[in-house]
Amino acid sequence: MSAAPSTVTSSLPSVPSFRGRIGYDARSGYYAVPRRYRLHLSLACPHCLRIAITHSLLGLHEALPVTLLPAVPDEADGGHSALRPLYETSSHRYPGPTAAPVLSDDWTGRIVSTHAPDILHDLARRFGGGHPDRPALYPHGAEAEIAAVEHLCEDRVNEAAQRAGQADADAEVRRTALHTLLRTLGSLEGRLTFQDFVLGDEMTAADVQLWVVLVQLDTVHRQHLDAAAVHRIADHPHLWAYARRLAAHPAFGTHLDLDGIARRHHAHCHGLEAAGAAVQILDWAAHIADGAARPREEGPGGFTEPQHALHLRPSGSA
């Protein structure tokens, strides 16, 4: 497996795409060694939130430390200044945004990957596999189903919700998008009426993806929908009971930074707020497990927070 970043060719100035993978052994260049690698995550970012949840579910606190970044990037192009040394070491005069998530190699001081799906797979398959007390997030034979759910969540929930809330879009486009969203939520509601998780009785990576998308739907997308649409979205009792149940799971609720999500959204969104902003579907903070305070310094949880980072508070705190 390649340990070097690939380069994407386009009509614009080329920006390196860091797609290194963690392999089985030393011949792969990057291979699974405890505390060799580090994750750099901003928990207000949905991609980073998926990685943080996966990291906790797999019990990787000691093997793979995490550095938390501010909810709102501090560079104009959406990057984090704290990541610039890593990016510039990995690619001379790096021209793009220094964005999270990042999986870095502490041995070389270089970036392994910035591609969230690859990072998620490598955490589960190279660091988290073979432990009977941890979920098999990518069980053998379920890869296609997980990929299908991930595509459904991204295209028919996340993207559809964005299109439905675009005030400057054609009314028919918004109606079609809302119909797509509601039909998809109805399909998920049907699944969760008779089973505990999306693919059956065991938690998989599909549940991590769906939960993060539901968080975004209620905390971000509903801000731009009308109240009637939000009430129709909320009218899926088994789906939102599932969301509440996972919010109470320490691996999920611990990482939910409601204040950071709100600040990140307001910093980047230029859309108009709609009546749905006043119709909260879930009181997420009320369902977060007791004692799920977000760590600020490296300790048993393996998380560190840089000195310049914002001090994150548990969701719902004053």
Side-chain angles (χ1 to χ4, degrees):
M1 296 184 183
S2 174
S6 60
T7 302
V8 176
T9 302
S10 70
S11 58
L12 299 174
S14 62
V15 176
S17 176
F18 300 98
R19 294 287 300 270
R21 302 299 300 270
I22 305 299
Y24 284 107
D25 54 40
R27 292 174 298 177
S28 65
Y30 294 125
Y31 53 101
V33 178
R35 303 194 70 84
R36 172 177 175 177
Y37 304 99
R38 178 174 296 273
L39 287 165
H40 306 260
L41 305 175
S42 173
L43 298 181
C45 162
H47 299 300
C48 293
L49 181 56
R50 284 178 67 193
I51 293 171
I53 293 168
T54 300
H55 178 273
S56 288
L57 286 171
L58 297 173
L60 301 181
H61 314 298
E62 293 298 330
L64 185 57
V66 177
T67 294
L68 294 182
L69 299 163
V72 181
D74 57 354
E75 295 195 341
D77 59 2
H80 294 272
S81 59
L83 295 176
R84 186 153 297 281
L86 271 175
Y87 272 88
E88 293 185 344
T89 299
S90 305
S91 175
H92 183 57
R93 295 183 179 178
Y94 175 78
T98 53
V102 167
L103 174 65
S104 68
D105 177 8
D106 282 352
W107 288 5
T108 64
R110 293 175 177 270
I111 293 172
V112 177
S113 180
T114 58
H115 188 63
D118 288 351
I119 294 172
L120 287 163
H121 281 79
D122 287 351
L123 293 188
R125 291 173 174 160
R126 303 294 182 256
F127 288 96
H131 296 276
D133 58 337
R134 298 171 189 168
L137 296 179
Y138 294 91
H140 180 69
E143 293 88 348
E145 285 187 282
I146 292 172
V149 172
E150 290 176 343
H151 176 76
L152 189 80
C153 287
E154 187 58 35
D155 184 57
R156 303 181 71 83
V157 178
N158 191 46
E159 294 293 335
Q162 288 189 39
R163 293 194 299 271
Q166 288 181 330
D168 57 350
D170 180 79
E172 182 60 30
V173 170
R174 297 200 304 273
R175 280 194 296 270
T176 299
L178 180 61
H179 176 72
T180 296
L181 171 62
L182 292 171
R183 186 172 57 188
T184 304
L185 296 181
S187 174
L188 293 165
E189 171 77 6
R191 283 175 176 252
L192 293 166
T193 300
F194 302 104
Q195 58 195 41
D196 289 337
F197 300 102
V198 181
L199 299 186
D201 296 327
E202 301 294 334
M203 182 187 297
T204 69
D207 296 290
V208 179
Q209 167 75 337
L210 175 56
W211 189 79
V212 171
V213 165
L214 292 176
V215 169
Q216 289 293 112
L217 183 57
D218 190 19
T219 61
V220 174
H221 298 314
R222 73 171 170 82
Q223 306 286 333
H224 307 291
L225 297 169
D226 63 43
V230 176
H231 282 298
R232 293 174 71 187
I233 290 169
D235 191 22
H236 296 88
H238 293 93
L239 179 65
W240 293 106
Y242 159 89
R244 287 195 300 271
R245 176 161 51 88
L246 290 186
H249 190 301
F252 289 76
T254 300
H255 304 299
L256 186 55
D257 179 22
L258 296 172
D259 176 67
I261 291 172
R263 287 187 285 110
R264 183 185 180 93
H265 175 62
H266 291 310
H268 296 288
C269 180
H270 302 291
L272 298 175
E273 187 174 279
V279 186
Q280 184 180 26
I281 298 174
L282 287 189
D283 183 354
W284 294 92
H287 300 291
I288 293 174
D290 291 340
R294 187 168 295 103
R296 286 172 166 69
E297 297 178 355
E298 187 166 344
F303 282 76
T304 62
E305 185 175 16
Q307 292 182 352
H308 62 273
L310 298 176
H311 287 286
L312 304 178
R313 297 174 296 172
S315 301
S317 62

